[in-house]
Amino acid sequence: MAQIQRKKISKKEERSARRIGDNFGGRGAIEPIKRKEPQTPQKRVVELPEIVSVKDFADKTGLPVAQVITTLMKNGVLATINQTIDYETASIIGDELSIEVIPEKAVSKTSREDISHSADQDTQKLVSRPPVVTVMGHVDHGKTTLLDNIRKSKVAESESGGITQHISAYQVVLDKTKNKDLQNRTITFLDTPGHAAFSTMREHGTTITDIVVLIVAANDGVMPQTTEVIEKSKANHVPIIVAINKVDLPDADIMRTKQQLSEHGLVPEEWGGSTVMVEISAKQGRGIDDLLEMILLQADLMDLKADPDSGAVGVIIESHMEKGHGALALALIENGTVKIGDPVAIGSSYGRVRVLENYTGRPIKEAGPSFPVRIAGLKSLPGFGDRLISFTSEKEAKDAALRSERMQSTLRIATAKKVQHDFAESGKTIELNIIIKSDVVGSLEAIKKLLSEVHSQEASIKIISEGVGPVSESDATLAQATGSKVLAFRVPTLMAAKKIAEKEGIKIQRFDVIYELVDSAKADLSALLPPEIIEEEVGNIKILAIFRDDKKAFVAGGLVESGKVAVGDEIKVFQNNNEEYRDKVHSLRHGKSETKECVSGTECGLGLNPGANVAVGDRATIFRTVKKLRKIE
Ligand code: GDP
C-alpha cells in the first residue's frame, strides 16, 4: 500500500505539547487565557476508512485527482487513481491539502478473524479431528518412498484407484493396530514438494501442519535440510516425530543418527528426552504402522479439536484451472464443514460450491475438519495459502472477497515498495523488475527459486509480484507503475491487460517451459549490464627514433617486435616499465610510403598527436579496445 511514515512524536514532546495546551486553557489552567487564533483557513473535516483509493479520497475531499496524486508524489508515494492509500497517509496528505481527516465511524471489518466464525467457545461443539501431518527431510532420505508406501497400503482400494497423479493432500486410515483406540482412525497427509527448490512451500507446510514427520536416513544421518526442518518446526511450534529410515541398509547407523539428532535438540525418549523416534524402512514397509500409531498418539496428546457444525474455514493448498470445471481449488478444511451449495470466499475469489470432491476426485456432499477437499464453482482462481470461509449468502461471500481483494492490492503495492527499498539499500544498481504469473503454485515456486539464483555482483532480479492465474489488468497496471516485465507461465493474458500492455509498452511474455522462462530473464538481465571493456593486445614496438616533433605533428620511428600495428590502433607507451602515455596511431609509414599496417620485424613511422610524450628507447604496446557483452550464467 502506498504509505508515508509519519514523524514519531516522542513522549517528551507529547508531554511538553500537552503542557503548552494546559497553559493555554486546557485542563488544569486556572484562568483561561484568551488568545487570538492564528489566521489559518478553516479546515474541512472528512471521514475516511482505514484504506481508501486515490479516486475515493479525491471524491470525498472534493479535490481534483491530479492534485491528490501530485501531493502524494511530493511525499514520495507513487500511486495511480485506482490504487489505495492507508489512513495514515491520507491524513498526512490531508494536512497538506488543508483537510482534516478523521476515521470513519463505521469502520469496515477487514481482518479475516473478524469475518464471523468466531462463535462463542461455549456454543461450539468441539470434537476430535484428524491430525494434519507433513513429511519432511533431506533430499533422498526417503520421503517420496514413505508417502508412496503409505498411500498404496493405507488408502482404501477404491480411493487409491482414483489417485492418478500427484496429489498434495490425502487421508489414510490406520487399520492394523493392537491399540483399539487407534483402530480406524484417520490421518491427513500433506505432500508438499520436498526438493530444495520448494523451501517456501515447505515453510507453508509447517504452518498448516499439526505434526511434522522428520525423515532421516540412518546411513546418511543429519543433513542440512534435516536441520532446516528442525529449525522451521521449532520456530512454528510444530511437534516433530522422527522417522529413522533405511534401517534395512547394512551401513544404517541408528545410534549415530540419534546422537546427531540429540545434538540438534531432538533427544529420543529412551535417552530421557521427549522426541518420538520410529525406526522404519520405507522401501520394505517396515515400521510404518508404528509410525502411524505414534502420529495418532501425538495427536491425542495435542487434543486436536474442531467444531464441525460451524461455518467452514480452510486453507488452499493447490489450485488450477481445469477444462469443464473452471477454477479448481484443493482446500484443507480447518474448522467447520463445507457443503455443496455453500457460498464461499477464498482470498479475493468467491462463488458457490458447485462441485465438492474428496482428494481422489470422488463426489462428496460435505467435508469437515482436517479434510482435504476439491472445490469448483469459484469465479476466479484462488492462490496457495488463501483462506476459505463459508457464508450464509453469496453477497456476504462476495463482499468478503472484495475486501480481501482491496487488502491484497494494497499489500501488493506495499510489498513492491518494500522490495524496491530493500534493493536500493542493498547497494545494487542494476535490477530487472519482474511480475510472474503461473498456472500452479508448484511451478511458481520453482520459477522463483531458479530466478533467485540469476544474479551477478551488481545486478539481480526483483520479483515485484507473483501469483497463480492469468495476467490481469492489475498485473499490467502494477507492471506499468514499477517498470516490470510480466512473465506468464502457461497462463493467458486477459484482454484488458493486453490493452494496457499495448498502450503502455509493457512486455508480457508467455512460456511453456520453465527453463525457457529463466533463460529469457537471464538474457534480459544480461542486456542491462554495461559491456566489459577489454584491451586486446595486437603488437609491441620499440621506439628507435623521433623523426618529427613540432606544433603540427609527431612522428616516431620504431621496430615492430611482435604482432602488428595498424592505423587507428591505440598505443600505450612505457618508460622503464611504467605506462607514461596513451595515444592513437593516426598514420603509418613504411620506408617512404604511407601504409595501413606494419607487421612484426618491420620498421615503421608512427604518426601520433603533436607533443606526444614518447622518447627513444621507450617500449610501446599496440592494442584495440573492444566492448564485450556480459552474460549472467
Ligand atoms: P526423497 O528425495 O526424500 O523423496 O527420497 P526418495 O523416496 O526418492 O528415496 C531416495 C532413494 O532412497 C530411492 O532410491 C529409494 O528407493 C531409496 N530408499 C527410500 N527409502 C528406503 C529404505 O527404507 N531403504 C532403502 N534401502 N532405500 C530406500
Side-chain angles (χ1 to χ4, degrees):
M1 174 167 46
Q3 274 180 322
I4 307 170
Q5 291 299 319
R6 190 188 276 280
K7 187 172 170 281
K8 289 251 180 324
I9 299 175
S10 70
K11 281 267 180 294
K12 198 172 154 200
E13 282 171 310
E14 200 182 48
R15 271 199 305 277
S16 113
R18 222 181 280 137
R19 239 191 348 262
I20 295 167
D22 288 348
N23 290 342
F24 286 107
R27 222 162 18 95
I30 300 164
E31 215 177 304
I33 302 169
K34 293 238 159 57
R35 315 185 82 225
K36 205 173 165 214
E37 285 301 321
Q39 290 297 307
T40 45
Q42 186 78 44
K43 273 194 174 180
R44 213 144 36 82
V45 179
V46 177
E47 282 189 11
L48 287 181
E50 273 177 74
I51 290 164
V52 66
S53 75
V54 171
K55 182 174 181 305
D56 286 348
F57 181 91
D59 286 347
K60 289 194 179 199
T61 53
L63 293 167
V65 172
Q67 193 182 354
V68 176
I69 292 180
T70 324
T71 314
L72 280 166
M73 270 165 76
K74 272 200 288 182
N75 283 283
V77 175
L78 216 63
T80 58
I81 181 162
N82 292 320
Q83 282 173 353
T84 50
I85 52 175
D86 64 356
Y87 176 81
E88 182 84 335
T89 300
S91 69
I92 292 172
I93 62 160
D95 272 348
E96 279 208 43
L97 295 164
S98 295
I99 306 266
E100 188 175 343
V101 171
I102 58 164
E104 210 172 57
K105 283 187 196 91
V107 181
S108 61
K109 284 184 179 174
T110 45
S111 78
R112 77 170 124 86
E113 287 75 18
D114 290 341
I115 311 175
S116 81
H117 300 293
S118 51
D120 261 345
Q121 286 285 327
D122 297 349
T123 60
Q124 284 189 339
K125 290 175 224 81
L126 296 178
V127 296
S128 269
R129 63 171 178 84
V132 178
V133 178
T134 311
V135 179
M136 298 190 211
H138 195 74
V139 67
D140 276 347
H141 278 200
K143 182 192 134 175
T144 315
T145 313
L146 173 64
L147 285 172
D148 279 352
N149 196 308
I150 292 177
R151 200 166 29 217
K152 278 196 207 106
S153 61
K154 300 293 163 195
V155 175
E157 203 54 49
S158 59
E159 312 266 5
S160 65
I163 305 178
T164 50
Q165 61 208 72
H166 172 82
I167 173 111
S168 309
Y170 54 89
Q171 292 190 309
V172 301
V173 175
L174 183 61
D175 49 1
K176 281 184 233 129
T177 172
K178 289 193 190 94
N179 186 336
K180 274 207 185 100
D181 291 342
L182 304 182
Q183 184 73 32
N184 293 329
R185 293 247 319 254
T186 305
I187 302 172
T188 302
F189 277 94
L190 284 183
D191 186 0
T192 55
H195 186 266
F198 300 94
S199 53
T200 324
M201 280 279 272
R202 274 212 311 265
E203 256 171 66
H204 284 292
T206 58
T207 55
I208 49 182
T209 207
D210 296 314
I211 298 166
V212 162
V213 168
L214 172 62
I215 188 159
V216 190
N219 60 334
D220 215 12
V222 169
M223 298 302 277
Q225 283 166 280
T226 320
T227 324
E228 197 188 317
V229 173
I230 297 174
E231 280 163 10
K232 293 244 165 79
S233 303
K234 268 190 196 156
N236 288 290
H237 307 288
V238 182
I240 292 177
I241 292 177
V242 176
I244 299 182
N245 191 30
K246 305 199 186 184
V247 295
D248 57 292
L249 289 177
D251 59 343
D253 192 339
I254 298 168
M255 284 301 279
R256 189 195 55 165
T257 306
K258 286 184 178 172
Q259 182 62 47
Q260 289 172 339
L261 285 164
S262 300
E263 283 161 19
H264 285 88
L266 299 182
V267 183
E269 284 178 314
E270 71 263 30
W271 293 1
S274 60
T275 306
V276 176
M277 299 198 183
V278 187
E279 291 161 27
I280 64 162
S281 166
K283 201 169 176 176
Q284 299 176 345
R286 262 165 58 191
I288 290 182
D289 283 325
D290 293 342
L291 177 64
L292 298 182
E293 276 186 22
M294 288 304 164
I295 291 171
L296 287 168
L297 289 172
Q298 172 67 38
D300 285 347
L301 271 181
M302 294 166 82
D303 199 19
L304 301 170
K305 289 207 160 117
D307 174 15
D309 293 334
S310 72
V313 177
V315 62
I316 301 305
I317 44 183
E318 208 180 272
S319 69
H320 67 278
M321 298 297 280
E322 197 164 284
K323 274 209 179 93
H325 271 93
L328 237 168
L330 180 67
L332 175 74
I333 304 301
E334 296 173 297
N335 194 31
T337 297
V338 65
K339 303 184 190 76
I340 290 253
D342 273 356
V344 289
I346 306 183
S348 53
S349 174
Y350 72 98
R352 215 173 253 284
V353 176
R354 201 162 37 77
V355 179
L356 206 57
E357 294 173 346
N358 76 355
Y359 52 91
T360 66
R362 222 157 35 98
I364 49 173
K365 289 208 173 62
E366 56 177 45
S370 297
F371 265 78
V373 66
R374 296 214 291 183
I375 294 173
L378 303 168
K379 303 265 187 255
S380 58
L381 196 65
F384 176 78
D386 274 354
R387 285 278 146 173
L388 172 146
I389 299 164
S390 72
F391 288 86
T392 42
S393 78
E394 196 164 330
K395 174 159 187 323
E396 277 178 296
K398 185 177 175 180
D399 287 350
L402 287 177
R403 274 203 297 273
S404 169
E405 162 86 51
R406 277 203 296 274
M407 274 168 69
Q408 268 183 24
S409 112
T410 303
L411 217 64
R412 284 181 91 188
I413 292 172
T415 314
K417 277 175 76 81
K418 181 169 179 336
V419 172
Q420 273 170 334
H421 174 260
D422 290 352
F423 199 81
E425 295 274 286
S426 73
K428 293 204 172 165
T429 50
I430 298 158
E431 61 205 55
L432 177 69
N433 290 358
I434 277 183
I435 292 173
I436 316 169
K437 290 308 285 281
S438 159
D439 56 345
V440 289
V441 176
S443 35
L444 180 64
E445 297 296 330
I447 290 168
K448 271 170 50 190
K449 172 73 181 139
L450 289 169
L451 286 181
S452 72
E453 288 160 7
V454 178
H455 59 82
S456 72
Q457 277 204 329
E458 79 250 67
S460 60
I461 288 174
K462 273 197 300 179
I463 298 175
I464 293 293
S465 164
E466 60 187 66
V468 171
V471 180
S472 66
E473 195 177 344
S474 90
D475 295 320
T477 314
L478 188 65
Q480 194 235 339
T482 54
S484 305
K485 274 186 178 167
V486 183
L487 304 182
F489 183 70
R490 293 196 188 148
V491 287
T493 298
L494 301 181
M495 207 40 173
K498 276 189 189 157
K499 279 192 188 146
I500 297 176
E502 264 167 37
K503 192 161 150 260
E504 306 291 344
I506 297 156
K507 204 164 154 195
I508 301 178
Q509 287 175 289
R510 191 199 140 107
F511 298 89
D512 287 307
V513 180
I514 290 187
Y515 286 97
E516 283 174 12
L517 181 150
V518 175
D519 283 348
S520 162
K522 262 185 208 167
D524 285 340
L525 186 62
S526 300
L528 296 179
L529 294 175
E532 205 176 342
I533 309 288
I534 295 178
E535 292 179 356
E536 252 177 28
E537 194 176 307
V538 290
N540 286 289
I541 291 180
K542 186 174 181 192
I543 305 297
L544 302 174
I546 305 299
F547 294 135
R548 188 173 164 185
D549 181 8
D550 55 38
K551 269 187 186 168
K552 287 191 175 163
F554 185 99
V555 180
L559 169 69
V560 183
E561 291 186 316
S562 65
K564 59 187 177 183
V565 53
V567 175
D569 282 349
E570 289 167 89
I571 178 168
K572 286 192 270 199
V573 182
F574 295 86
Q575 288 161 8
N576 300 325
N577 288 330
N578 294 324
E579 185 188 323
E580 292 290 342
Y581 182 67
R582 278 189 181 224
D583 204 341
K584 196 168 178 173
V585 179
H586 297 295
S587 64
L588 268 181
R589 289 184 92 85
H590 181 55
K592 288 222 169 346
S593 48
E594 290 252 344
T595 180
K596 288 257 173 280
E597 190 176 275
C598 291
V599 294
S600 174
T602 59
E603 288 186 353
C604 61
L606 297 158
L608 306 176
N609 279 327
N613 178 16
V614 179
V616 172
D618 288 351
R619 300 212 168 250
T621 300
I622 306 296
F623 66 96
R624 287 167 196 170
T625 305
V626 283
K627 282 185 186 170
K628 204 170 139 200
L629 291 182
R630 286 158 65 198
K631 242 172 119 179
I632 291 178
E633 292 306 331

